[in-house]
Every structure is written in structure tokens, then in C-alpha cells.
Amino acid sequence: MTSDLPQRLRAALALAGFTYDAVAETLGPLAHDALGRNETTPGLRATGGGSPLETLIRLFLLQAPVELAAAEAALPGLLERMAAEGLVEQTVGEVAARMDVRPYATDELAGDRDLWVVSDLTPGLDGQHVRVGADHVLGISSASTSLAQLTLRDPVGTALDLGTGCGVQALHLARHSDRVVATDVNARALWTARFNAALNGVEDRVEVRDGSLFEPVRHEAFDLIATNPPFVISPATGERLVYRDSGLPGDRVVEDIVRFAPRHLTDGGWCQVLANWVISRDRPWDDRLATWLTDETDAYVVQREVLDPAAYVELWLKDAGLHGAVDYLVRYDTWLSWFDEQGVEGIGFGWLNLRKRGSGQAGAPVRELLEWPYDVEQPIAPAIRDWAAASGAEVGPDSRLLVRPDVQQETLGAPGAEDPEAVVLRQQRGLRRARRVDTVEAALVGACDGDLTVGQILDALAQLLDLDPAATRTTYLPTVRELVAEGFLEA
């Protein structure tokens, strides 16, 4: 982008103190929470002082027209240029936003970073029925935040943001990648992503390309691919919202990414996908998704949530601003009927993490497909890294293991009972798994301090509990491997 508008706008936003923390403090908890629910009245009441920061909050976040003089004070010398680029609209005495300019905070790597993200205006503030256009450029969302928390942040040479939208993931990737390629098919998204790269001073590391899926990078491989593709599963009605609808049937877009990603990864490279998938009436979800995986990658797939077809249709019709529209019921019935015809029992939502195996790497690909609807620690990326390390660990009787420092033991039973009815190991970090264990398992985990080998610990427990040593090893070595794989023990 050759224009200097992004750089000048960044300077003005910084001068006004238009950061995430400052906005939250100015609004206060009540108004900040209300804005999260798309309600602006408390925010308007909290921002009547006329400062540049309050003016920017009103203009871009609350979508309220502001007086021309106040806008000029907050954005000195920029209004005419911003109007020409479609960011604002200037009328006699007033300025109104035509795009959202939003502060965004990230705590990646070396401390907090303040960023700004331009996108289309948030639809549906204060309950207004606003129908989004086919080329709508979505801003910061729960999905984009989830993908950012999922993505590994190790320094890499090359990264790919597949389906970049407004470019949020590219901004994250640029913080720890030498070079980022961001792709999309939406011309307005491409312009917005370039603007955001320049607005945040990373335009020299982010290259934005036009094209669908892997087509713009046909002969390239990357150390990291992050994607929140247009994964909404809907019938072909002739109307497509590019930011969420791929145009492919069912969950085909996600399947294609999973199947084709390995050829665009370097050895040891990762592809991390946030997506929906079909849960069929006649087939377990993990069985079906396992057929997408190739022998070129290890895979860690986590289903975080399941929606029934009706709830799913309601969610996405409301997202498109169609709730209450004259054709709402017809659209609802058409979509629900299509799900029924396709044999769709539910729609899964979650993460697909693929790691490219090295050429000639021994052993079968590692697979884990897990249903985990419980609360997890965020960001979850370190837990993905830990899974990869555990999956590659060789655990045997000569291994010296350590209990992870976040693991705690709970005993359950009636008050005053001599022995507990159950012993539970519970993680405080990552997925926060819990595992019920027997006496041998609990004692083994407690003894894993790195001094004794697994075999020595099992032999000692067998002697203490009057068990056969050989049978104890045979029974519990597989359990030890599970405890390592699940993150209770580490090599």
C-alpha cells in the first residue's frame, strides 16, 4: 500500500490513547460489557466528555455521529483522506463511521502489544436489523480470537494466513514470522488486510494475495499455516456471504484443507484449523474425520462443541442479520430440511492440528481425536505443543519421568472413611484433564520425581502391595504411556 494514510492514522490513534485498555477504562465495566452485547446506550452515557479518546470510541465503536470539530481534533488533517478511502463519511457539521477501527490487545511474545484493526461496521447494534453484504469484511470475532489462542507462537521463517479476511491472524503471525502470506477471494478483504498490515507497521512482512485456498501458493511450503476458513455448512441457495460461506457442499472446504495442507508444509510444520464439521446420523464424528487425515501428518483433533441443526441454523441466520426478516421462516425451513435430507445429526466445532512428518520418519502417524467440551486454559497453544512433545516421547521401564507441576491429586469418599472411594488426578493448566486412578497409578505418579526409573517404581510398588512384579509391569506400562500422552507425566 503506497498511501501514507495508515501510518498517519496510527499516529493519531496512538496520540489519542485509543488502546484496548484505555477504551475499557473509559467505558467502565457496565458499558464495556454492554458493548460486548451490541448495546451502545451505556457507552454513550460514559463518553460525553469530548476528549479525542471519547470521540473515537463514539465514532468507531458506538457508531454514533460526532461533531465535525471533535472529529478534526481526534483525527487532525485526516478526515478528507479517510472519507476518500471509505473509512468515514463527512456531512455538514458531522462525521460518521463507514468502517470500524478497533483497538486490539495481544500479549504475545515480549509483553503486551497494542494493535488496531479496520473492518466493516459491526451489524445489529442496539437490535437494529442490518443485513450484511456478500462481501462483508468481518472484524475481530470470537472465532478469530479462538484461532489466535490456538496458534503456536514459536518463531518461524514462513507462515500462511489462509482466508485472511481483515488480516487479524496475519498481524499475529507477523510478530513471530520472517514472512507472512495472507490470501483471500474477497477484494474488499484484500484491501482491508493490506491497510491493517500498514496500520500496524508490518507491511514489509505481510504479502496479501488474491485467490482461493491454496491456489495462490500452489508451489510453496510454509512452517505454519493458520486458518479460520469459511466453514458454515449451508445449502446452496444462490446467496453467499464470502467471509463464512465457501461455496463448497457441506464441510468440504475443511476436508480439502486437511487433505491438501501437507503438501504446503515444511517438515515439522504445522497447519492449525478452526472449523465446523458434519456429524452424521450413522457415523461417529471422529471416525469420519479420521478419513480426511493423510499419512504425511500427525494429527490432534479436538471437538469443542456440538450444536443441533436447529440451533445452528438460528445462529447463522441471526449472524447474517436475517432474524425477523420477512423470509426468515422460509430460510429456516429450507436450511433445516436440507440438513434432514443430508442425514446431519449435529454440527461439531473445534480444532484440527496437523504436524508434517519428516521424510523417512519412523513409526505410524500419531492420531488423537478427542471430544473436550470443558473449560481450558487460554491461550491453549502451549498445550498443543506439549501434546506434540508427548506424542514423540518413547516411554519404557528405563524412563525417568516427572509429574507435571500443575497436577494435583484429589481423594473422594465419605467423611471419616479409612480409604477413599476414588483418587482423581487433575491438571490445572492446558486442557485441565482429570483422570481417575487406582492405588498403584496414584502411587506411581507421586513417585515420579526423576530419581527412579518407571520399572524401579513399579517393582517397588509390587513388593509393597504384594503383587507379581512381572504382571505389574505388563499391566501398568501402557497406563504410564497414557499418563505421558495426556500430560500428567513428562519425560
Side-chain angles (χ1 to χ4, degrees):
M1 178 168 290
T2 57
S3 168
D4 67 349
L5 176 59
Q7 292 79 9
R8 294 178 62 194
L9 178 57
R10 177 171 74 243
L13 298 177
L15 183 63
F18 191 52
T19 65
Y20 180 89
D21 289 343
V23 168
E25 183 179 355
T26 299
L27 289 173
L30 187 146
H32 191 262
D33 291 346
L35 185 56
R37 301 188 299 270
N38 283 354
E39 298 292 340
T40 67
T41 300
L44 292 170
R45 290 171 57 87
T47 56
S51 70
L53 174 57
E54 291 170 307
T55 297
L56 293 173
I57 292 172
R58 284 176 163 251
L59 178 62
F60 292 119
L61 306 186
L62 305 178
Q63 296 180 24
V66 299
E67 293 182 357
L68 177 59
E72 287 178 335
L75 300 164
L78 294 178
L79 291 180
E80 186 174 330
R81 293 281 303 281
M82 292 177 70
E85 295 285 0
L87 295 171
V88 299
E89 182 178 61
Q90 185 175 334
T91 58
V92 178
E94 281 190 337
V95 175
R98 287 295 168 259
M99 295 192 78
D100 187 300
V101 180
R102 187 169 296 260
Y104 181 55
T106 170
D107 59 359
E108 293 164 12
L109 300 178
D112 293 339
R113 301 299 297 261
D114 291 315
L115 305 176
W116 295 276
V117 177
V118 172
S119 66
D120 277 332
L121 294 173
T122 303
L125 289 185
D126 300 317
Q128 299 177 47
H129 289 146
V130 178
R131 205 159 172 168
V132 300
D135 60 352
H136 181 80
V137 180
L138 188 68
I140 301 162
S141 67
S142 59
S144 62
T145 301
S146 295
L147 179 58
Q149 293 169 326
L150 174 68
T151 304
L152 295 166
R153 297 301 172 196
D154 300 317
V156 296
T158 57
L160 173 63
D161 177 8
L162 195 71
T164 188
C166 69
V168 173
Q169 304 307 323
L171 297 180
H172 281 281
L173 293 169
R175 301 297 176 186
H176 61 100
S177 309
D178 295 334
R179 183 174 69 91
V180 179
V181 175
T183 68
D184 211 292
V185 296
N186 182 353
R188 295 191 68 253
L190 296 170
W191 179 90
T192 306
R194 290 189 182 101
F195 191 96
N196 282 326
L199 180 62
N200 291 282
V202 294
E203 66 273 26
D204 58 333
R205 271 173 287 157
V206 177
E207 180 186 354
V208 180
R209 299 183 192 174
D210 183 10
S212 178
L213 297 179
F214 294 109
E215 189 277 329
V217 294
R218 189 180 297 112
H219 304 297
E220 297 175 63
F222 298 86
D223 302 315
L224 176 61
I225 300 171
T227 180
N228 172 24
F231 56 63
V232 174
I233 300 166
S234 62
T237 59
E239 183 179 46
R240 177 185 171 202
L241 301 180
V242 177
Y243 76 90
R244 69 175 210 188
D245 301 316
S246 70
L248 296 174
D251 51 18
R252 177 66 180 275
V253 66
V254 182
E255 179 181 355
D256 284 355
I257 289 171
V258 171
R259 289 188 183 278
F260 291 110
R263 67 184 63 175
H264 296 284
L265 288 172
T266 58
D267 286 352
W270 285 85
C271 176
Q272 298 186 271
V273 189
L274 190 78
N276 280 169
W277 46 78
V278 165
I279 301 175
S280 302
R281 292 196 189 107
D282 57 353
R283 191 173 190 183
W285 74 272
D286 51 345
D287 224 27
R288 182 169 175 271
L289 264 62
T291 65
W292 298 356
L293 304 173
T294 75
D295 290 341
E296 297 170 90
T297 61
D298 297 327
Y300 187 37
V301 181
V302 182
Q303 181 164 276
R304 295 284 293 142
E305 183 181 5
V306 175
L307 287 182
D308 64 63
Y312 190 79
V313 172
E314 292 162 15
L315 170 68
W316 291 109
L317 285 176
K318 290 173 182 175
D319 173 80
L322 293 168
H323 192 245
V326 292
D327 57 349
Y328 174 77
L329 295 179
V330 173
R331 288 174 177 271
Y332 195 149
D333 185 65
T334 299
W335 202 334
L336 208 56
S337 298
W338 181 78
F339 274 149
D340 190 48
E341 292 165 5
Q342 299 295 314
V344 176
E345 181 177 77
I347 296 87
F349 171 83
W351 319 319
L352 300 105
N353 301 279
L354 313 174
R355 182 181 58 172
K356 178 74 174 287
R357 295 168 62 82
S359 55
Q361 185 173 337
V366 180
R367 302 269 192 267
E368 184 170 0
L369 290 90
L370 172 70
E371 185 154 12
W372 197 256
Y374 313 109
D375 285 342
V376 301
E377 180 189 31
Q378 294 292 1
I380 196 63
I384 307 301
R385 186 186 299 107
D386 290 344
W387 171 85
S391 68
E394 293 186 8
V395 179
D398 295 329
S399 300
R400 298 178 189 271
L401 303 178
L402 296 169
V403 60
R404 299 268 307 235
D406 66 304
V407 174
Q408 295 185 356
Q409 178 177 299
E410 300 174 0
T411 56
L412 306 175
E418 183 175 346
D419 296 313
E421 295 176 12
V423 178
V424 176
L425 301 178
R426 191 179 302 277
Q427 299 168 353
Q428 307 304 305
R429 308 198 65 182
L431 289 183
R432 295 175 175 152
R433 295 189 198 232
R435 180 184 175 112
R436 188 167 177 164
V437 296
D438 64 19
T439 303
V440 173
E441 293 164 356
L444 182 144
V445 170
C448 283
D449 59 5
D451 288 341
L452 300 176
T453 67
V454 169
Q456 289 170 329
I457 294 172
L458 288 175
D459 291 346
L461 289 173
Q463 183 177 5
L464 181 66
L465 299 172
D466 196 22
L467 301 172
D468 178 74
T472 301
R473 286 194 177 207
T474 300
T475 299
Y476 286 100
L477 275 174
T479 302
V480 173
R481 295 187 183 101
E482 290 178 7
L483 288 165
V484 172
E486 293 178 2
F488 292 95
L489 296 173
E490 60 185 356

